[in-house]
Amino acid sequence: YAKLSTHGCISYVVFRFQMKVKVLSRNPDDYVRETKLDIQRVPRNYDPSLHPFEVSREYTRALNATKLERVFAKPFLASLDGHRDGVNCLAKHTQSLSTLLSGSCDGELKVWDLTKRECVRTLQAHEGFIRGVVVRYCGTSFFTVGDDKTIKQWTMETPGYGEEEEPLNTILGKTVFTGLDHHQNKSVFATCGQQVDIWDEQRSSPIRSFSWGVDSFSSIRFNPVETDLLGSCASDRSIILYDMRESTPLKKVVMTMRSNTLCWNPMEAFHFTCANEDYNLYTYDMRFLEKPIKVHMDHVSAVLDVDYSPTGQEFVSASFDKTIRIFPKNDGHSREVYHTKRMQHVICVKWSSDSKYILSGSDEMNIRLWKANAAEKLGVLSHREREAANYSQKLKEKFQHHPQIRRIARHRHLPKIFSFYRFGFSSTKPGSVPVLSEKEKHVVSVVK
Amino acid sequence: KFKRKDKITKVRNFVCFLYWVCVEYCCFLLPKCEFFLEGDEDEDTCTISQEDIAEAVDITSGAKYFNLKLTQFGPYRVDYSKTGRQLLLGGRRGHLACFDWQTKQLMCEINVMESISDVKWLHTDSMFAVAQKQWLYVYDSNGIELHCIRKFNDVLRMQFLPYHFLLATASATSFLQYLDVSTGKEVAAICTKTGRLDVMCQNPHNAIIHLGHSNGTVTLWSPNQKEALVKMLCHQGGVRSVAVDKMGNYMVTSGMDKKLKVFDIRALKPLTSYFLPAGASCLSLSQRGLLSAATGDVVQVYRDVWSTPVTKPYMAHRVRGSVWGLQFCPFEDVLGVGHGEGFTSMLVPGAGEPNFDGLDANPYRSAKQRQEWEVKALLEKIQPELISLDPTDLGRVDRATFEQRHQEKVQSLGFDPHAKEKFVPKFKKKGRSSAGAVERRKKQVAHVDQRDKVKMEEQQKRKEAKKAALSRRKSALDRFKK
């Protein structure tokens, strides 16, 4: 008889009495590993008849993944202790991921090493509050402004043994400065106080001053993408936009309540988010200021600071209600809330440049280091761990709308005080008040 | 809105691509082996004897045909484990044996000193359940009695749902009970009120239990409902046996009226009906769609029962005693027959699935692989609440909840936030916004939704008319029709 061998299964063809028979016959050598040092052989067959209940099994895996995420959600990493008064402002080092600068309300400036979680340098920068700290784009020096009407430039290197801390440069101003920001790649910086000034580092008087009849400004920010644009928050409840190359401001949008800070999206050239006193954050497109792109509502007290992740997909907001919330850029509600009993009113917040950590400076003199993704495993992951994490993440996204999974994924423990913040429903007759969408409600006017 | 639509189309395209990749892999890359038995033109394949086949094939395959002569302890019930390596035999008079049937290595052999109605492997080859005279017992593979579950009494038939870890039992007191073997709790006890339940099978595609009754009906049950999901009248006499194929498309039943019927279980419609001179007491379907039917002491195997009308069996074999249990071995070309005189394993070329999946049921798995698989299977255990006629229910859009929520919103707000705004035509200059022009523009937009509906209806009507025209038989007398 003839022997026909097809791959994997040997079969025999017999011509005795003109009968042909082929029977399934497996050679164990093809399916079992040769030595103990080999890996196991795993033949695959993706035929769906061998894998029934796909949706139910994936749903169960998604449910397990969601529950495990809640189990492993431990975002708090460390608390940086050392300031003797509330932390007023934070600054990221432009070239180093592990350096952080913080300015406090008693004029003290500290430089921290985040890997060792300790303070490496302390200096008395100003008398009174430090209103703004920013590191120059090259990373070799940094600027501070304070309540004593001065702008000081310091070097990044720690002074040698026995030497005193001396600023590289001091500029005296006429009025108090309340905010500071540096250009992405030119040696130009901007301050705000009673008016917005653009300074050249070599000159001791501003090269340009913008004013629009406003009393005072609370913050100023350069656009990281369109580097000549600036945005500022003014005390007349408006946000004013400037172009550094022009002599007058561009336009302003007046809202119902004052904004505390604003932050530009590092990925979208024209989008910025402002942290408002009416417990919301508003994302605007600077070209169309009539309506915000999105209203982000979840805080229960004034929002004090906002910072974008370097990916531009999410931002973090710090609020007077002792919590930090992380919002996706196009979602009206937060995906995460961080709070601790020991953390009081959060004044400033920063998202680290590797998009993995969040730093918050608060009223009780501590700076806290948090994970951006609460359940993420830090450090170098093996290939299998990464694959498993990606698979779980995808499953959670796929089934996120199912009620059981949504209930578990949304569950956060909040302090008891939050149960008092309940928003009532209006009792007006339907149809009597003209219906305005949420977006239209908050903008009063746009002035060019 | 546009972003979400784009996202959905992207995901849909990707899923189609993945599906295509899997189909390519399964159809072209996996070793394709067509196994068959063919006689010459005069010879019928059903006349070829097992001994001839065993002599013709290689030694290992030939050794798969064997007879176990166990005459003392009554007709035997048979169960193969999910991987197809281990075999469990339970004799009516209490003889219990489990062994690896390929190496003939005995794992345990005991006599429980009571009558046994059914035996079933649990999720691995380490435990099995035995329905004895009064209660349900669970034994270890070494023969040690692990549990005696008194809540489950007078059990006649059992089915194990592997992905839910549920053991479904049908009792003589017309109770259908589900036992979760991972937690040991009784999940559901349904009083079916249909009399003695001794015909039972499961649909491997959606984990629904099919019960056959003496009034000719077959009922479909899930643990979530107290009533049957479906009641089908299948035979004129009692139903003797039921089998469902692995894709959950077809159900084959045999009854006291000596008929063998094939039903489309998705549409719940009868497909074909065959007449068997002596009826079939046991039915079993293989992984490749071969049907085995046993009458008395003759076992016949049929090929392609649902697609082409079958005139004669593919194979036939006579065993020594009357057949009591019948099961195809999962990944082998073997049919196990338990009968009054013991056990026979016969060769059926083309019955088994040649390409198994190493991560699901792997006959060549090591102990370590088995442990890992067991842990993963337990983690993925599907809750019994998800058992329904359509296993893809979870993947559907939940329109009912959406409608309900929308109604509540409308009530609370006083207006419909999703309602379309009234069309206000743009004011055009240079006299183009006279009253008549504005009216004309308004008319263009008016009743757009109604117009779409009417268009769709007309299209459907035209389609149906076309179909009807094609199907009408052309006869010479057509010209006289008005």
Side-chain angles (χ1 to χ4, degrees), chain A residues 101-156:
Chain A
L101 284 84
S102 63
S104 73
C105 299
D106 63 352
E108 200 178 49
L109 188 122
K110 278 185 183 280
V111 181
W112 305 86
D113 183 338
L114 292 174
T115 46
K116 294 189 206 127
R117 291 166 191 175
E118 56 189 30
C119 172
V120 293
R121 187 177 164 200
T122 312
L123 52 96
Q124 186 66 32
H126 294 272
E127 298 162 4
F129 281 49
I130 297 186
R131 289 289 176 187
V133 192
V134 71
V135 180
R136 200 169 176 273
Y137 62 88
C138 58
T140 51
S141 62
F142 60 93
F143 294 84
T144 62
V145 283
D147 266 356
D148 57 355
K149 305 181 195 174
T150 49
I151 306 170
K152 292 187 183 170
Q153 185 182 8
W154 309 79
T155 167
M156 208 65 205

Side-chain angles (χ1 to χ4, degrees), chain A residues 1 6-14 16-28 31-33 40-57 59-61 64 329-330 394 399 402 406 425 430-431 435, chain B residues 22 25-26 30-31 33-40 43 48 52-53 55-58 60-61 64 163-164 204-207 246-247 331-333 349 353-360 364 366 369 379-382 386 391 394-395 413-415:
Chain A
Y1 47 82
T6 48
H7 169 74
C9 314
I10 306 171
S11 49
Y12 288 81
V13 176
V14 177
R16 196 176 117 185
F17 302 140
Q18 268 81 48
M19 167 180 73
K20 276 190 270 183
V21 57
K22 248 186 178 181
V23 179
L24 174 59
S25 171
R26 290 193 190 95
N27 184 0
Y31 295 95
V32 178
R33 62 180 177 180
Q40 297 282 5
R41 284 185 219 219
V42 182
R44 298 304 312 268
N45 186 353
Y46 299 106
D47 190 1
S49 63
L50 290 176
H51 302 279
F53 306 106
E54 313 163 316
V55 186
S56 310
R57 284 160 86 185
Y59 174 80
T60 313
R61 285 181 199 164
N64 290 342
K329 77 164 182 197
N330 45 14
K394 195 68 191 152
F399 287 95
H402 284 71
R406 214 167 122 247
F425 292 98
V435 175
Chain B
C22 284
Y25 182 84
C26 292
L30 281 178
C33 320
E34 280 302 318
F35 303 100
F36 56 84
L37 172 67
E38 259 182 31
D40 63 345
E43 208 183 357
I48 301 173
D52 285 344
I53 299 174
E55 272 179 39
V57 295
D58 59 306
T60 34
S61 304
K64 291 176 186 170
Y163 296 97
H164 303 74
H205 183 67
N206 56 10
K246 66 174 183 178
M247 285 305 290
F331 296 102
E332 299 284 340
D333 277 349
E353 172 67 53
N355 302 304
F356 55 84
D357 190 71
L359 292 179
D360 198 35
Y364 296 97
S366 65
Q369 279 178 316
L379 282 173
E380 283 175 14
K381 177 182 87 158
I382 307 170
L386 302 178
L394 270 181
L413 287 174
F415 63 94

Side-chain angles (χ1 to χ4, degrees), chain B residues 46-116:
Chain B
C46 58
T47 55
I48 301 173
S49 69
Q50 285 289 306
E51 283 84 12
D52 285 344
I53 299 174
E55 272 179 39
V57 295
D58 59 306
I59 301 175
T60 34
S61 304
K64 291 176 186 170
Y65 165 65
F66 62 90
N67 282 303
L68 291 176
K69 210 172 164 189
L70 310 158
T71 47
Q72 253 191 319
F73 292 105
Y76 280 80
R77 293 283 300 167
V78 181
D79 191 39
Y80 284 99
S81 68
K82 192 153 178 262
T83 54
R85 287 294 288 267
Q86 282 81 20
L87 174 64
L88 179 62
L89 290 178
R92 187 124 192 125
R93 295 202 188 92
H95 183 209
L96 209 54
C98 64
F99 56 103
D100 181 336
W101 62 274
Q102 286 176 358
T103 59
K104 309 291 188 303
Q105 189 187 20
L106 188 68
M107 284 157 68
C108 87
E109 183 177 8
I110 55 174
N111 192 308
V112 299
M113 309 303 276
E114 255 192 341
S115 66
I116 294 177

Side-chain angles (χ1 to χ4, degrees), chain A residues 218-231:
Chain A
S218 59
S219 92
I220 180 98
R221 284 273 188 274
F222 270 99
N223 188 331
V225 187
E226 290 285 326
T227 48
D228 291 318
L229 298 177
L230 298 108

Side-chain angles (χ1 to χ4, degrees), chain A residues 344-409:
Chain A
Q344 302 305 312
H345 311 294
V346 194
I347 310 291
C348 48
V349 78
K350 281 273 180 266
W351 200 309
S352 78
S353 308
D354 57 356
S355 84
K356 282 197 174 171
Y357 303 99
I358 288 171
L359 292 137
S360 68
S362 56
D363 225 353
E364 24 68 53
M365 311 176 246
N366 273 346
I367 299 168
R368 284 188 177 78
L369 182 66
W370 310 81
K371 279 196 253 180
N373 290 316
E376 187 188 7
K377 185 169 177 189
L378 297 172
V380 180
L381 298 179
S382 71
H383 171 78
R384 271 201 210 176
E385 281 178 308
R386 257 181 294 130
E387 291 291 310
N390 288 341
Y391 180 61
S392 307
Q393 185 59 34
K394 195 68 191 152
L395 274 178
K396 279 183 270 177
E397 274 170 43
K398 183 175 175 184
F399 287 95
Q400 62 184 301
H401 302 291
H402 284 71
Q404 287 304 313
I405 291 183
R406 214 167 122 247
R407 182 183 69 92
I408 295 170

Side-chain angles (χ1 to χ4, degrees), chain A residues 157-228:
Chain A
E157 286 169 17
T158 326
Y161 180 73
E163 284 176 25
E164 282 201 3
E165 293 271 6
E166 281 282 320
L168 283 176
N169 195 11
T170 311
I171 302 171
L172 295 168
K174 295 189 191 96
T175 51
V176 170
F177 296 111
T178 52
L180 172 72
D181 198 17
H182 197 286
H183 196 275
Q184 277 290 97
N185 36 32
K186 290 189 198 153
S187 51
V188 162
F189 64 91
T191 61
C192 66
Q194 282 192 349
Q195 73 277 341
V196 172
D197 298 321
I198 312 281
W199 303 76
D200 191 306
E201 284 169 17
Q202 319 297 344
R203 311 266 183 84
S204 58
S205 62
I207 55 175
R208 189 160 288 147
S209 279
F210 297 102
S211 66
W212 199 332
V214 180
D215 219 353
S216 67
F217 294 86
S218 59
S219 92
I220 180 98
R221 284 273 188 274
F222 270 99
N223 188 331
V225 187
E226 290 285 326
T227 48
D228 291 318

